[in-house]
Amino acid sequence: MPVRCHHTEVIETDPSTVFRMIDDLPATAKWLPPCVSLDNLSHPSPEKNAVGDRLRYVYRQGRRTGEMDGQIVARVEGRQIHCLYADKMFEVSVDLQVAPGSVAGTTDSTHIIQITPKSFFGRLMSPLVRIGVGKQTRTASANLKKLLESKVS
């Protein structure tokens, strides 16, 4: 059974600025706590991210460093980048969406994360994953907000 988390953060800057940051894959390590690196293996330049591009995500959980292969499965300029990652134990869907906020000059930044266990051990870990993914998603959203708002002021 998949573990799903949905979180929206209001960021006090324009949507294009937020989208540029989430579309800059190497910059992900600045705001996503477990991320060590995220690289587009198909195109090293962030201006060239496209559906079908292959990705490599390196993360650190505690003392363990891991790696997942990924792919961009949807990308709408200025609005969305959706990636799928997988390793032996999990498939992870990361859908980052950007929309104008209800107040002028703000952006609603939505993170939708879904983690699907692929192995028996992954299914056993699901309760821990469920606890951690919500906190991690909220922390990543808050870090992105802080990073972007500090650049505006």
Side-chain angles (χ1 to χ4, degrees):
M1 175 127 189
V3 174
R4 186 175 167 90
C5 182
H6 178 278
H7 181 75
T8 299
E9 191 80 44
V10 177
I11 301 175
E12 294 184 17
T13 192
D14 61 281
S16 63
T17 299
V18 178
F19 183 77
R20 274 193 308 276
M21 179 61 78
I22 66 171
D23 198 41
D24 181 357
L25 301 180
T28 304
K30 295 178 182 178
W31 55 269
L32 181 63
C35 181
V36 173
S37 64
L38 177 56
D39 297 306
N40 185 326
L41 302 177
S42 300
H43 303 284
S45 171
E47 295 87 37
K48 296 187 180 188
N49 291 332
V51 172
D53 285 357
R54 293 180 310 109
L55 307 174
R56 177 175 298 126
Y57 172 60
V58 178
Y59 61 92
R60 185 169 296 116
Q61 294 280 36
R63 295 182 184 186
R64 180 179 172 266
T65 298
E67 186 174 303
M68 297 183 101
D69 292 323
Q71 184 174 24
I72 298 173
V73 295
R75 184 179 180 281
V76 179
E77 181 66 38
R79 293 187 39 213
Q80 176 195 34
I81 186 163
H82 182 184
C83 303
L84 286 180
Y85 302 95
D87 62 12
K88 290 182 283 186
M89 291 197 330
F90 298 102
E91 181 176 280
V92 180
S93 168
V94 179
D95 190 359
L96 303 174
Q97 301 175 7
V98 173
S102 58
V103 175
T106 66
T107 300
D108 291 342
S109 174
T110 301
H111 295 213
I112 304 166
I113 312 299
Q114 181 168 303
I115 301 175
T116 305
K118 292 172 43 178
S119 68
F120 176 73
F121 186 66
R123 286 189 294 278
L124 284 178
M125 290 181 55
S126 288
L128 294 174
V129 170
R130 189 175 317 285
I131 292 167
V133 73
K135 181 180 186 296
Q136 180 177 305
T137 302
R138 289 186 302 275
T139 299
S141 295
N143 289 349
L144 181 62
K145 173 184 174 81
K146 184 177 177 182
L147 180 65
L148 286 166
E149 289 180 352
S150 70
K151 289 184 178 210
V152 172
S153 51

